[in-house]
Amino acid sequence: PLALGWCFVGLALMRRRSGTAKAVLFNLAFFALAFAAIEAYFAIPKPVQRDRDPEGDHQLHDVLGYRPVPGVIPDHKRYRDETIFDVTYRIGEDSLRITPDAPGDLPCVLFFGGSYGFGLGVADDETFAYRVGLAAIDRFRTYNFSYNGYGPHQMLAALESGLVDRTIECEPRHVIYLAIGNHLMRVAGLAAWDPHGPWYELVDGELIRRGNFDDQFRVRAAQQIRRSHLGEQVVQVRSGREPERHARLYGHIVAAAGREVERSYPGAELHVIVWGDHAPDGRVVLESLAEHGLKSHRLSKIFPDYAENRDTYRVSPHDSHPSAFAHARLADYILAEVLASPKP
């Protein structure tokens, strides 16, 4: 409405001007009209819709940026009239998605990641963290620190701040982080949903936590730009370019998390599972991990038939998150290749 208003103002003033002034007012009115048209286009409801308010599901947190509110979170996603998924997430008092109860004197497995690790689109007992916990209930307790939109910077912040220690009641033996290519831009503070996330920076080759992303002017400015639909599209395009720019920071963050695991929990080891290693940004993730000597498990090795049966491993053709089938297969792999491996 504001852009249209400026368009009409420009056209009205043109009637009283001539020459250069009239040309300037015409161009301003044209650009205002074009901006209004673009805003209207992006405001048109898209075929894929979520019947929930994600911002109401979590709360600000100075260590992690945000975290889920304990309780029950319903989530319904649809493509036009077709339901993609209709599930409920149960979040415990520790702000973690539930996993099976196990005896308190057992060692444990910790899971980190974003929505792929959290299990967006699948039921509580269908996530690979839950399935691992159920299958190994007589050997391990499990904690799922993953949440929608998280990256490795949340993992590092949780570990080095002592948040993990204050949450768990066990001695970790295995720490598993599920990585995706999108985590490259998340560590740089380019995710629209994570303006208050933990801000890490490399200073003379040393990784330092500076505070939170919104302590930076550029992040606050981007938040204002994103208030328009066009601004959101521009920021998204810029954020998705050149994943290599953020690879160095990404690698240092994951490596620091690995060192924190070894320091805090002697005998434990960080395992990184790379989902989407066939994609360009997935290959960048693998290269970054290799530069730091980090152990990684490739999706293409875990699911060698993924390319031929992609839809079987996805919640829906309209949503790339792992399906219940994919979670089950991944749990089987972790049980066989990670938990069954000898202690480092």
Side-chain angles (χ1 to χ4, degrees), residues 120-171:
L120 188 145
V122 300
D124 292 329
D125 59 357
E126 292 177 330
T127 69
F128 68 86
Y130 193 100
R131 289 175 181 274
V132 168
L134 192 62
I137 199 165
D138 58 338
R139 294 185 293 140
F140 295 103
R141 302 181 68 181
T142 51
Y143 290 85
N144 190 356
F145 285 89
S146 307
Y147 187 51
N148 300 331
Y150 276 9
H153 52 310
Q154 269 96 6
M155 171 174 62
L156 177 57
L159 287 164
E160 69 178 11
S161 69
L163 177 63
V164 171
D165 260 345
R166 294 191 296 272
T167 303
I168 64 176
E169 300 174 344
C170 57
E171 186 65 25

